Amino acid sequence: MILRLVWPAWAVAVVILPLVTVCVLAAVRARRSGDGSFPSWLRRGGMVLALLVVALGPAVPSTTTTVATNVEVFFVVDRTGSMAAEDYAGGQPRLDGVRHDVEAIVEAMPGARYSVITFDSQAARQLPLTTDARAVRTWADTLVQEITAYSAGSAVDRPLPTLTAALEGAAERNPENVRVVFLLSDGENTSGDGSEEGEPQSFADLAPLVDGGAVLGYGTAQGGQMRVYDGTDETGAGTDAEWILDETQPGSPPAVSRIDETQLRRVAEQLGLDYVHRNQPSDVGGLVAGIDAETIAADGRRDVSVYEDVYWPAAAVLAVLLAWEAWHQARHFPRPGAPVRRERSAA
C-alpha cells in the first residue's frame, strides 16, 4: 500500500492533526466528568480520523496491461506526382499502397509514438511524434499527390535534412527509445523537366540513429501513367482527369513513371535496413517482426503496475458520521411554537 496524499503533507499536519488532538482530549475529559458528551466527542473524533484517511489517499497496487511507449516510428512518405502512377495492384495508384501499409504498420505496432514526414517539391513534417494512432490513420486516409503545377521532380534525398533533424531531436530527448524508420517511395530521382537528377546525398550518417524499419518500394519496371491533379476532387488518381504529359518527348505523350529499385536498395543499405518491394496489399508482419524483440512484446504491449485508490470506505464512514452529527445537532434546535424554558431567578 502507498499513500498518494490527496492533500499536501503540510496541510495534513497543520489542519488534521490538531483536530484529532482536540477531539481525543475532549472525549477523555467528557468521559471522566460524566457529563454525557463523551459519545458526541467520540463521533467527532471518528469524523476527523476518517477525513485524515481520505486526505492521505491510500492505494493498493493492481496489475493491468498498458501500451509500450518506448518505440518511435518515423514514416517518410513520397507524395510526388509519380506516386500517383497507376501500376500498383493491377492498376491502382501507388499511393493506395502507401495508405494501406502505413495503416497496417500502425496496427502492427500499437502504442508506439508516430511521426510523419512527407516530401514532394519540398519536405515537411506533417505530424510530430504522437501516440494518437487515429491521427496517423486520418492523415493516411487524406493522403494525396502533390499538385501537378507545383511539381519540381522527384528526389529521394529531399527529406534527408528534415528526417535528420527529427531523429537527432528524438535521440537527444529520449536516447533510450527505439527509433524505427519506414521510407515509402518509388525511388525516382528526376528534375522538374524529367531529366535525371545528380547523385543523391547519402543517408549513411543516420544509420546510428535508426534501430529498425524498412525501405518500401512502389511501382513496376514497366511503369504507369499519372493523372493531373489541381487540388480538387475531380482530378488526380482514380478520376477521369487528363494524363500528365512528358513534354520532353516528341508529341508530348503521357508521362510514364518507373520504379527505381537500385536507388531504393542503395538507401536501404545506407540506413542498414531491408528493402521490400510492395506491389499489392499484403501482411506487414514481416516488416516489424525483427524490431527490438527484447524491448517490445510480441503484441506491442507490456504489463505495468498501477495503483487503485482505497480511501472510499473511509469516505463512506465520514458520510455516515456527518449525517449522525447533523441529526444530533438538529435535535437541539428549538422547534417553532415550542415554549421557551426560562430559569427562575433566585429570590
Side-chain angles (χ1 to χ4, degrees):
M1 178 181 290
I2 66 169
L3 302 178
R4 290 150 74 97
L5 292 178
V6 176
W7 290 2
W10 64 266
V12 174
V14 171
V15 178
I16 301 295
L17 295 183
L19 289 176
V20 172
T21 303
V22 169
C23 291
V24 171
L25 292 178
V28 171
R29 189 180 300 114
R31 181 67 178 270
R32 290 175 178 176
S33 64
D35 63 0
S37 63
F38 173 72
S40 295
W41 282 108
L42 190 61
R43 178 176 63 252
R44 292 160 190 163
M47 291 165 56
V48 175
L49 289 175
L51 183 60
L52 173 62
V53 174
V54 173
L56 293 176
V60 295
S62 63
T63 301
T64 187
T65 300
T66 189
V67 183
T69 57
N70 61 333
V71 181
E72 298 172 344
V73 180
F74 295 84
F75 293 105
V76 184
V77 178
D78 183 351
R79 59 180 296 267
T80 55
S82 63
M83 290 297 289
E86 300 178 1
D87 60 349
Y88 172 81
Q92 299 177 26
R94 297 169 185 172
L95 286 178
D96 282 3
V98 171
R99 295 188 193 95
H100 170 272
D101 290 346
V102 168
E103 294 181 2
I105 290 171
V106 168
E107 184 175 351
M109 301 184 68
R113 302 174 69 200
Y114 314 97
S115 179
V116 176
I117 296 172
T118 62
F119 64 100
D120 40 50
S121 57
Q122 60 183 0
R125 195 165 184 180
Q126 299 290 313
L127 281 177
L129 282 169
T130 176
T131 57
D132 189 355
R134 290 176 298 180
V136 184
R137 295 189 185 99
T138 299
W139 171 86
D141 288 340
T142 58
L143 173 64
V144 294
Q145 70 195 82
E146 68 174 331
I147 295 177
T148 304
Y150 300 156
S151 177
S154 300
V156 73
D157 61 350
R158 195 163 288 158
L160 183 56
T162 305
L163 178 59
T164 300
L167 289 174
E168 289 179 347
E172 182 177 350
R173 289 188 300 271
N174 299 294
E176 74 284 357
N177 282 5
V178 177
R179 287 171 295 278
V180 179
V181 173
F182 290 98
L183 190 150
L184 303 88
S185 175
D186 56 23
E188 276 200 329
N189 208 51
T190 60
S191 63
D193 60 6
S195 61
E196 291 293 325
E197 286 276 9
E199 186 68 21
Q201 299 181 63
S202 175
F203 284 75
D205 289 343
L206 296 184
L209 300 174
V210 178
D211 299 299
V215 173
L216 308 182
Y218 300 84
T220 62
Q222 295 77 23
Q225 299 175 354
M226 303 144 284
R227 303 280 181 178
V228 170
Y229 180 63
D230 63 8
T232 64
D233 293 339
E234 291 74 27
T235 59
T239 70
D240 295 327
E242 297 179 354
W243 298 110
I244 295 176
L245 303 179
D246 185 357
E247 297 180 354
T248 65
Q249 300 295 325
S252 299
V256 177
S257 170
R258 296 177 176 84
I259 187 173
D260 188 342
E261 292 193 278
T262 301
Q263 188 70 260
L264 294 172
R265 293 181 189 278
R266 183 182 298 117
V267 173
E269 182 179 357
Q270 292 167 353
L271 289 171
L273 304 176
D274 291 334
Y275 166 71
V276 181
H277 185 209
R278 304 288 294 174
N279 56 8
Q280 61 181 354
S282 58
D283 181 63
V284 298
L287 301 178
V288 302
I291 297 176
D292 199 5
E294 295 182 358
T295 303
I296 313 168
D299 62 352
R301 298 174 183 267
R302 58 180 176 174
D303 287 338
V304 298
S305 294
V306 297
Y307 289 88
E308 181 180 355
D309 293 321
V310 292
Y311 60 76
W312 62 267
V317 171
L318 177 60
V320 171
L321 293 178
L322 281 171
W324 186 4
E325 180 69 18
W327 176 80
H328 178 76
Q329 294 295 333
R331 292 178 57 202
H332 294 80
F333 290 158
R335 288 175 292 180
V340 179
R341 299 178 58 184
R342 297 179 180 176
E343 298 291 339
R344 291 184 179 181
S345 60

